[in-house]
Short mmCIF file of all heavy atoms in Angstrom, two decimals:
data_model
loop_
_atom_site.label_atom_id
_atom_site.label_comp_id
_atom_site.label_asym_id
_atom_site.label_seq_id
_atom_site.Cartn_x
_atom_site.Cartn_y
_atom_site.Cartn_z
N PRO A 143 -0.91 6.71 -11.32
CA PRO A 143 -0.82 8.13 -11.51
C PRO A 143 0.32 8.62 -10.74
O PRO A 143 1.04 7.95 -10.00
CB PRO A 143 -2.14 8.53 -10.74
CG PRO A 143 -2.23 7.60 -9.45
CD PRO A 143 -1.89 6.19 -10.18
N VAL A 144 0.59 9.87 -11.00
CA VAL A 144 1.55 10.69 -10.26
C VAL A 144 0.72 11.46 -9.26
O VAL A 144 -0.12 12.31 -9.58
CB VAL A 144 2.39 11.56 -11.05
CG1 VAL A 144 3.30 12.50 -10.24
CG2 VAL A 144 3.28 10.82 -12.13
N LEU A 145 1.08 11.32 -7.94
CA LEU A 145 0.19 12.09 -6.93
C LEU A 145 1.15 12.79 -6.02
O LEU A 145 2.17 12.20 -5.52
CB LEU A 145 -0.57 10.96 -6.06
CG LEU A 145 -1.49 10.08 -6.81
CD1 LEU A 145 -2.05 8.99 -5.82
CD2 LEU A 145 -2.66 10.83 -7.32
N GLU A 146 0.89 14.03 -5.78
CA GLU A 146 1.80 14.85 -4.94
C GLU A 146 1.10 15.39 -3.68
O GLU A 146 -0.03 15.90 -3.78
CB GLU A 146 2.28 15.92 -5.77
CG GLU A 146 3.51 16.58 -5.26
CD GLU A 146 4.24 17.52 -6.27
OE1 GLU A 146 4.15 17.40 -7.50
OE2 GLU A 146 4.88 18.40 -5.73
N GLY A 147 1.60 15.13 -2.54
CA GLY A 147 1.26 15.74 -1.34
C GLY A 147 2.21 16.78 -0.80
O GLY A 147 3.17 17.18 -1.50
N ASP A 148 1.99 17.21 0.53
CA ASP A 148 2.77 18.08 1.18
C ASP A 148 4.28 17.62 1.17
O ASP A 148 5.17 18.43 0.97
CB ASP A 148 2.32 18.66 2.47
CG ASP A 148 1.06 19.29 2.41
OD1 ASP A 148 0.77 19.86 1.41
OD2 ASP A 148 0.29 19.27 3.46
N THR A 149 4.53 16.41 1.68
CA THR A 149 5.76 15.77 1.81
C THR A 149 6.09 14.59 0.88
O THR A 149 7.20 14.31 0.88
CB THR A 149 5.98 15.42 3.32
OG1 THR A 149 5.07 14.36 3.64
CG2 THR A 149 5.78 16.62 4.33
N LEU A 150 5.18 14.07 0.30
CA LEU A 150 5.34 12.92 -0.53
C LEU A 150 5.01 13.08 -1.97
O LEU A 150 4.14 13.84 -2.25
CB LEU A 150 4.45 11.84 -0.05
CG LEU A 150 4.63 11.28 1.40
CD1 LEU A 150 3.60 10.24 1.68
CD2 LEU A 150 6.01 10.89 1.77
N LEU A 151 5.76 12.32 -2.75
CA LEU A 151 5.49 12.20 -4.27
C LEU A 151 5.20 10.71 -4.35
O LEU A 151 6.14 9.89 -4.05
CB LEU A 151 6.66 12.70 -5.13
CG LEU A 151 6.53 12.40 -6.57
CD1 LEU A 151 5.52 13.14 -7.35
CD2 LEU A 151 7.87 12.66 -7.28
N LEU A 152 4.06 10.36 -5.06
CA LEU A 152 3.91 9.05 -5.50
C LEU A 152 3.97 8.94 -6.98
O LEU A 152 3.20 9.75 -7.62
CB LEU A 152 2.58 8.51 -4.96
CG LEU A 152 2.33 8.15 -3.47
CD1 LEU A 152 2.75 9.24 -2.56
CD2 LEU A 152 0.98 7.71 -3.23
N ARG A 153 4.71 8.00 -7.47
CA ARG A 153 4.85 7.83 -9.03
C ARG A 153 4.96 6.43 -9.30
O ARG A 153 5.22 5.53 -8.50
CB ARG A 153 6.11 8.69 -9.54
CG ARG A 153 7.38 8.13 -8.88
CD ARG A 153 8.57 8.58 -9.54
NE ARG A 153 9.84 8.25 -8.97
CZ ARG A 153 10.35 6.98 -9.01
NH1 ARG A 153 9.74 6.09 -9.72
NH2 ARG A 153 11.51 6.60 -8.40
N PRO A 154 4.74 6.21 -10.70
CA PRO A 154 4.68 4.70 -10.98
C PRO A 154 6.06 4.05 -10.91
O PRO A 154 7.17 4.74 -10.98
CB PRO A 154 4.51 4.78 -12.51
CG PRO A 154 3.57 6.03 -12.71
CD PRO A 154 4.22 7.02 -11.66
N LEU A 155 6.08 2.83 -10.36
CA LEU A 155 7.27 1.98 -10.27
C LEU A 155 7.88 1.72 -11.60
O LEU A 155 7.14 1.38 -12.40
CB LEU A 155 6.89 0.67 -9.48
CG LEU A 155 8.09 -0.42 -9.37
CD1 LEU A 155 9.01 0.14 -8.18
CD2 LEU A 155 7.52 -1.73 -8.95
#
Side-chain angles (χ1 to χ4, degrees):
V144 173
L145 304 172
E146 194 166 339
D148 292 338
T149 65
L150 300 178
L151 170 70
L152 281 57
R153 60 164 176 76
L155 178 74

